[in-house]
Amino acid sequence: MNDRKGVLVILSGPSGSGKDTVLSELVARNDDIRVSISMTTRKKREGEIDGIHYYFVDRDYFKKKIDEGSMLEYAEYAGNYYGTPKAPVDEMLRNGINVVLEIEVQGADKIRRMYPDVVSIFLMPPSLSTLEARIRTRGTEDEETIAHRLFIAEQEIRRADEFGYVIVNDTVTDAVEAFETIIRAEKLKVSRNKQIISEVTGNV
Ligand code: 5GP
């Protein structure tokens, strides 16, 4: 039917906007959507598993991977490195899997420059007070880190207009449905369906 290559999607949004919750529901509902596993130098939070939530590495290893050219993008955020290993993303896209990069705004900017056609979505918290409450309820960060994350969050929200789409995360179900709608529409774009058009018109 349409171009079998997967869609590359960026999901950004401030810490506490609910990206992880939305993405786990999205992946549970859709066999053809996966989330890229990032590499980070940040310390593991309680409950996080190496190789599932992130690849937790030290700074030397991370720098080696950058030098080898194996990162699609990387950025420094709140004093730690975060980056997307390139090979697994390329492979999933080739196999028709839609890949979501859950990354912050600097990484999103880099990916947009490399792939102008990337679908970029900003997940917006309903308000700043909801955001602060979510970060605090998580209870995984100390006061200084919370303050730093809130500061970054405000800067990030100001950059929401660099994105193609915005989803306000009022309820997880609505946010997931909005996400699915965006991917479905993307798959129907003429630029992704050139082959079927030429087959029907006989201009192969
Ligand atoms: P956290 O420490 O809360 O897991 O993540 C902090 C921020 O880093 C979040 O905004 C998250 O989206 C972003 N992030 C996670 N992985 C990557 C990555 O591979 N690249 C970039 N640029 N940002 C990432």
Side-chain angles (χ1 to χ4, degrees):
M1 272 249 294
N2 57 19
D3 181 344
R4 287 182 43 232
K5 213 168 156 287
V7 178
L8 182 63
V9 185
I10 296 170
L11 180 68
S12 290
S15 181
S17 58
K19 289 169 296 191
D20 289 338
T21 316
V22 167
L23 288 181
S24 44
E25 179 73 19
L26 183 77
V27 168
R29 281 170 48 150
N30 297 274
D31 288 344
D32 60 347
I33 303 177
R34 307 239 173 93
V35 181
S36 150
I37 303 170
S38 295
M39 194 176 281
T40 184
T41 60
R42 147 163 99 58
K43 280 208 205 94
K44 211 192 280 179
R45 289 189 194 126
E46 215 180 303
E48 284 183 329
I49 301 163
D50 187 33
I52 293 190
H53 297 97
Y54 281 106
Y55 296 107
F56 295 96
V57 301
D58 61 30
R59 287 180 89 86
D60 286 344
Y61 186 84
F62 199 104
K63 283 185 185 151
K64 198 172 108 203
K65 290 291 155 193
I66 297 170
D67 294 343
E68 283 173 4
S70 34
M71 305 307 279
L72 188 57
E73 61 73 41
Y74 68 94
E76 207 164 352
Y77 174 99
N80 288 299
Y81 280 125
Y82 293 82
T84 308
K86 188 172 186 310
V89 173
D90 286 345
E91 194 189 332
M92 286 188 279
L93 290 175
R94 253 198 324 272
N95 292 328
I97 301 289
N98 305 307
V99 182
V100 183
L101 308 182
E102 197 244 272
I103 59 181
E104 49 66 70
V105 294
Q106 307 164 69
D109 196 33
K110 287 182 201 158
I111 298 283
R112 241 185 260 110
R113 285 163 205 259
M114 283 187 277
Y115 306 95
D117 291 342
V118 71
V119 177
S120 68
I121 305 176
F122 192 86
L123 191 65
M124 186 71 89
S127 68
L128 279 181
S129 50
T130 321
L131 189 75
E132 180 167 356
R134 284 186 190 157
I135 297 180
R136 287 189 185 283
T137 317
R138 193 159 69 189
T140 46
E141 274 99 10
D142 59 32
E143 204 51 46
E144 192 187 339
T145 311
I146 291 173
H148 193 187
R149 281 180 178 249
L150 280 171
F151 172 77
I152 300 174
E154 290 195 37
Q155 317 274 315
E156 287 184 316
I157 289 169
R158 286 202 195 101
R159 293 181 64 177
D161 61 359
E162 295 173 16
F163 288 73
Y165 296 91
V166 62
I167 299 176
V168 178
N169 190 11
D170 274 319
T171 73
V172 175
T173 310
D174 287 351
V176 170
E177 276 170 15
F179 208 121
E180 290 168 347
T181 305
I182 293 168
I183 294 186
R184 230 174 279 136
E186 183 64 26
K187 288 257 178 201
L188 299 177
K189 274 196 169 158
V190 167
S191 55
R192 291 188 153 265
N193 290 277
K194 294 265 191 240
Q195 200 180 335
I196 182 70
I197 294 171
S198 49
E199 278 169 20
V200 172
T201 56
N203 292 331
V204 188

Short mmCIF file of all heavy atoms in Angstrom, two decimals, residues 11 13-15 19 38-39 42 45 48 54 73-75 77 82-84 102-104 106-108 138 141 149 156, ligand 1:
data_model
loop_
_atom_site.label_atom_id
_atom_site.label_comp_id
_atom_site.label_asym_id
_atom_site.label_seq_id
_atom_site.Cartn_x
_atom_site.Cartn_y
_atom_site.Cartn_z
N LEU A 11 9.39 13.01 20.22
CA LEU A 11 8.50 13.50 21.27
C LEU A 11 9.35 14.24 22.29
O LEU A 11 10.25 13.67 22.91
CB LEU A 11 7.76 12.35 21.96
CG LEU A 11 6.81 12.85 23.07
CD1 LEU A 11 5.64 13.63 22.49
CD2 LEU A 11 6.29 11.71 23.92
N GLY A 13 9.17 17.38 25.51
CA GLY A 13 8.24 17.96 26.49
C GLY A 13 9.01 18.02 27.78
O GLY A 13 9.92 17.21 28.00
N PRO A 14 8.68 18.96 28.65
CA PRO A 14 9.47 19.11 29.86
C PRO A 14 9.39 17.90 30.77
O PRO A 14 8.44 17.12 30.69
CB PRO A 14 8.85 20.34 30.53
CG PRO A 14 7.52 20.50 29.92
CD PRO A 14 7.60 19.93 28.54
N SER A 15 10.41 17.79 31.61
CA SER A 15 10.43 16.76 32.64
C SER A 15 9.12 16.86 33.42
O SER A 15 8.71 17.95 33.82
CB SER A 15 11.61 17.08 33.56
OG SER A 15 11.74 16.14 34.57
N LYS A 19 5.73 12.15 29.40
CA LYS A 19 6.15 11.48 28.16
C LYS A 19 6.22 9.97 28.32
O LYS A 19 5.75 9.22 27.47
CB LYS A 19 7.54 11.99 27.72
CG LYS A 19 7.52 13.40 27.19
CD LYS A 19 8.93 13.92 27.04
CE LYS A 19 9.60 14.00 28.40
NZ LYS A 19 10.84 14.68 28.51
N SER A 38 17.67 5.33 24.69
CA SER A 38 18.77 6.28 24.70
C SER A 38 19.91 5.80 25.60
O SER A 38 19.73 4.91 26.44
CB SER A 38 18.29 7.62 25.24
OG SER A 38 17.35 8.18 24.37
N MET A 39 21.05 6.45 25.40
CA MET A 39 22.19 6.22 26.28
C MET A 39 22.32 7.45 27.17
O MET A 39 22.10 8.57 26.71
CB MET A 39 23.43 6.05 25.40
CG MET A 39 24.62 5.48 26.11
SD MET A 39 25.95 5.23 24.92
CE MET A 39 25.44 3.74 24.13
N ARG A 42 23.44 9.83 33.21
CA ARG A 42 22.73 10.10 34.47
C ARG A 42 22.66 8.83 35.30
O ARG A 42 22.65 7.72 34.78
CB ARG A 42 21.32 10.63 34.15
CG ARG A 42 20.28 10.23 35.14
CD ARG A 42 19.04 11.01 35.11
NE ARG A 42 17.92 10.43 34.39
CZ ARG A 42 17.38 9.25 34.65
NH1 ARG A 42 17.89 8.43 35.55
NH2 ARG A 42 16.34 8.85 33.96
N ARG A 45 17.60 5.80 38.22
CA ARG A 45 16.62 6.04 39.29
C ARG A 45 16.10 4.69 39.77
O ARG A 45 16.17 3.71 39.04
CB ARG A 45 15.41 6.81 38.73
CG ARG A 45 15.69 8.23 38.41
CD ARG A 45 14.37 8.95 38.09
NE ARG A 45 14.64 10.23 37.47
CZ ARG A 45 14.14 10.63 36.30
NH1 ARG A 45 13.31 9.87 35.63
NH2 ARG A 45 14.45 11.81 35.82
N GLU A 48 14.45 1.81 37.54
CA GLU A 48 14.90 1.83 36.13
C GLU A 48 15.82 0.64 35.86
O GLU A 48 16.60 0.24 36.71
CB GLU A 48 15.63 3.14 35.83
CG GLU A 48 14.70 4.32 35.67
CD GLU A 48 15.39 5.61 35.29
OE1 GLU A 48 16.56 5.80 35.69
OE2 GLU A 48 14.76 6.44 34.63
N TYR A 54 17.07 3.04 29.75
CA TYR A 54 18.25 3.69 29.15
C TYR A 54 19.36 2.66 29.12
O TYR A 54 19.31 1.64 29.81
CB TYR A 54 18.76 4.83 30.05
CG TYR A 54 18.01 6.13 29.97
CD1 TYR A 54 17.16 6.52 31.01
CD2 TYR A 54 18.18 6.99 28.90
CE1 TYR A 54 16.48 7.74 30.97
CE2 TYR A 54 17.50 8.22 28.85
CZ TYR A 54 16.66 8.58 29.88
OH TYR A 54 15.99 9.78 29.83
N GLU A 73 22.23 11.65 17.58
CA GLU A 73 22.29 12.99 18.19
C GLU A 73 22.61 12.79 19.65
O GLU A 73 22.43 11.70 20.19
CB GLU A 73 20.98 13.77 18.02
CG GLU A 73 19.73 13.13 18.66
CD GLU A 73 19.68 13.21 20.16
OE1 GLU A 73 20.03 14.25 20.72
OE2 GLU A 73 19.29 12.23 20.80
N TYR A 74 23.06 13.86 20.29
CA TYR A 74 23.23 13.81 21.74
C TYR A 74 23.16 15.24 22.27
O TYR A 74 23.29 16.20 21.50
CB TYR A 74 24.57 13.15 22.14
CG TYR A 74 25.77 13.96 21.77
CD1 TYR A 74 26.34 14.84 22.69
CD2 TYR A 74 26.32 13.87 20.50
CE1 TYR A 74 27.44 15.62 22.33
CE2 TYR A 74 27.42 14.64 20.15
CZ TYR A 74 27.97 15.50 21.07
OH TYR A 74 29.04 16.27 20.72
N ALA A 75 22.91 15.38 23.56
CA ALA A 75 22.84 16.71 24.16
C ALA A 75 23.22 16.59 25.62
O ALA A 75 23.18 15.50 26.20
CB ALA A 75 21.44 17.28 24.03
N TYR A 77 22.09 17.72 29.32
CA TYR A 77 20.87 18.17 29.98
C TYR A 77 21.06 17.99 31.47
O TYR A 77 21.38 16.88 31.92
CB TYR A 77 19.68 17.34 29.48
CG TYR A 77 18.36 17.60 30.18
CD1 TYR A 77 17.40 18.43 29.62
CD2 TYR A 77 18.07 17.00 31.41
CE1 TYR A 77 16.19 18.67 30.26
CE2 TYR A 77 16.87 17.23 32.06
CZ TYR A 77 15.94 18.07 31.48
OH TYR A 77 14.74 18.29 32.11
N TYR A 82 22.94 12.77 27.20
CA TYR A 82 21.87 11.89 26.74
C TYR A 82 22.02 11.78 25.23
O TYR A 82 22.25 12.80 24.58
CB TYR A 82 20.48 12.49 27.00
CG TYR A 82 20.09 12.62 28.45
CD1 TYR A 82 20.53 13.69 29.22
CD2 TYR A 82 19.26 11.68 29.04
CE1 TYR A 82 20.15 13.82 30.54
CE2 TYR A 82 18.87 11.80 30.36
CZ TYR A 82 19.32 12.87 31.11
OH TYR A 82 18.95 12.99 32.42
N GLY A 83 21.87 10.59 24.67
CA GLY A 83 21.99 10.49 23.22
C GLY A 83 21.27 9.27 22.65
O GLY A 83 20.94 8.33 23.37
N THR A 84 21.07 9.33 21.34
CA THR A 84 20.34 8.27 20.63
C THR A 84 21.30 7.42 19.81
O THR A 84 21.91 7.93 18.87
CB THR A 84 19.32 8.92 19.64
OG1 THR A 84 18.52 9.86 20.33
CG2 THR A 84 18.47 7.87 18.97
N GLU A 102 12.39 9.93 22.27
CA GLU A 102 11.91 10.74 23.39
C GLU A 102 13.10 11.57 23.85
O GLU A 102 13.93 11.11 24.62
CB GLU A 102 11.42 9.77 24.48
CG GLU A 102 10.55 10.42 25.51
CD GLU A 102 11.19 10.40 26.88
OE1 GLU A 102 10.99 9.42 27.61
OE2 GLU A 102 11.87 11.38 27.21
N ILE A 103 13.21 12.78 23.32
CA ILE A 103 14.42 13.57 23.54
C ILE A 103 14.08 15.02 23.90
O ILE A 103 12.96 15.47 23.68
CB ILE A 103 15.35 13.55 22.29
CG1 ILE A 103 14.64 14.10 21.06
CG2 ILE A 103 15.83 12.13 22.01
CD1 ILE A 103 15.50 14.09 19.80
N GLU A 104 15.08 15.73 24.45
CA GLU A 104 14.83 17.12 24.82
C GLU A 104 15.01 18.04 23.59
O GLU A 104 15.39 17.57 22.51
CB GLU A 104 15.65 17.53 26.06
CG GLU A 104 17.09 17.19 26.01
CD GLU A 104 17.79 17.95 24.95
OE1 GLU A 104 17.95 19.18 25.12
OE2 GLU A 104 18.18 17.34 23.93
N GLN A 106 17.08 20.39 22.46
CA GLN A 106 18.30 20.60 21.66
C GLN A 106 18.51 19.43 20.69
O GLN A 106 18.85 19.63 19.53
CB GLN A 106 19.54 20.65 22.56
CG GLN A 106 19.50 21.63 23.69
CD GLN A 106 20.60 21.28 24.70
OE1 GLN A 106 21.78 21.44 24.40
NE2 GLN A 106 20.23 20.79 25.86
N GLY A 107 18.25 18.22 21.20
CA GLY A 107 18.36 17.02 20.34
C GLY A 107 17.32 17.09 19.23
O GLY A 107 17.60 16.74 18.08
N ALA A 108 16.12 17.55 19.57
CA ALA A 108 15.05 17.66 18.58
C ALA A 108 15.48 18.60 17.45
O ALA A 108 15.27 18.33 16.26
CB ALA A 108 13.78 18.18 19.24
N ARG A 138 6.77 12.24 41.82
CA ARG A 138 7.69 11.18 41.39
C ARG A 138 8.68 10.88 42.52
O ARG A 138 9.10 9.75 42.68
CB ARG A 138 8.42 11.69 40.14
CG ARG A 138 9.16 10.64 39.40
CD ARG A 138 9.40 11.04 37.96
NE ARG A 138 10.36 12.13 37.83
CZ ARG A 138 10.61 12.77 36.69
NH1 ARG A 138 9.95 12.47 35.60
NH2 ARG A 138 11.50 13.73 36.64
N GLU A 141 13.86 13.03 42.81
CA GLU A 141 14.91 14.04 42.73
C GLU A 141 15.00 14.87 44.00
O GLU A 141 13.99 15.08 44.68
CB GLU A 141 14.66 14.97 41.54
CG GLU A 141 15.23 14.44 40.24
CD GLU A 141 14.19 13.75 39.39
OE1 GLU A 141 13.00 13.85 39.70
OE2 GLU A 141 14.58 13.08 38.43
N ARG A 149 15.24 21.36 37.09
CA ARG A 149 14.36 20.79 36.07
C ARG A 149 13.19 21.73 35.75
O ARG A 149 12.77 21.84 34.61
CB ARG A 149 13.86 19.41 36.49
CG ARG A 149 14.91 18.35 36.24
CD ARG A 149 14.50 16.96 36.61
NE ARG A 149 15.60 16.06 36.28
CZ ARG A 149 15.57 15.15 35.31
NH1 ARG A 149 14.49 14.97 34.62
NH2 ARG A 149 16.63 14.41 35.06
N GLU A 156 12.03 25.20 27.95
CA GLU A 156 11.61 24.26 26.90
C GLU A 156 10.23 24.63 26.37
O GLU A 156 9.99 24.60 25.16
CB GLU A 156 11.60 22.83 27.45
CG GLU A 156 13.00 22.29 27.64
CD GLU A 156 13.02 20.83 28.10
OE1 GLU A 156 12.23 20.48 28.98
OE2 GLU A 156 13.83 20.07 27.56
P1 5GP B 1 15.34 12.08 32.37
O1 5GP B 1 16.59 12.30 33.15
O2 5GP B 1 14.14 12.73 33.04
O3 5GP B 1 15.10 10.63 32.05
O4 5GP B 1 15.51 12.83 30.97
C1 5GP B 1 15.87 14.17 30.91
C2 5GP B 1 15.62 14.71 29.51
O5 5GP B 1 16.50 14.08 28.58
C3 5GP B 1 14.20 14.46 28.99
O6 5GP B 1 13.71 15.66 28.44
C4 5GP B 1 14.37 13.41 27.94
O7 5GP B 1 13.42 13.53 26.91
C5 5GP B 1 15.76 13.76 27.41
N1 5GP B 1 16.40 12.66 26.72
C6 5GP B 1 16.31 11.32 26.97
N2 5GP B 1 17.02 10.63 26.08
C7 5GP B 1 17.56 11.52 25.23
C8 5GP B 1 18.41 11.40 24.07
O8 5GP B 1 18.77 10.33 23.61
N3 5GP B 1 18.79 12.56 23.47
C9 5GP B 1 18.40 13.79 23.90
N4 5GP B 1 18.81 14.84 23.22
N5 5GP B 1 17.60 13.93 24.99
C10 5GP B 1 17.20 12.82 25.64
#
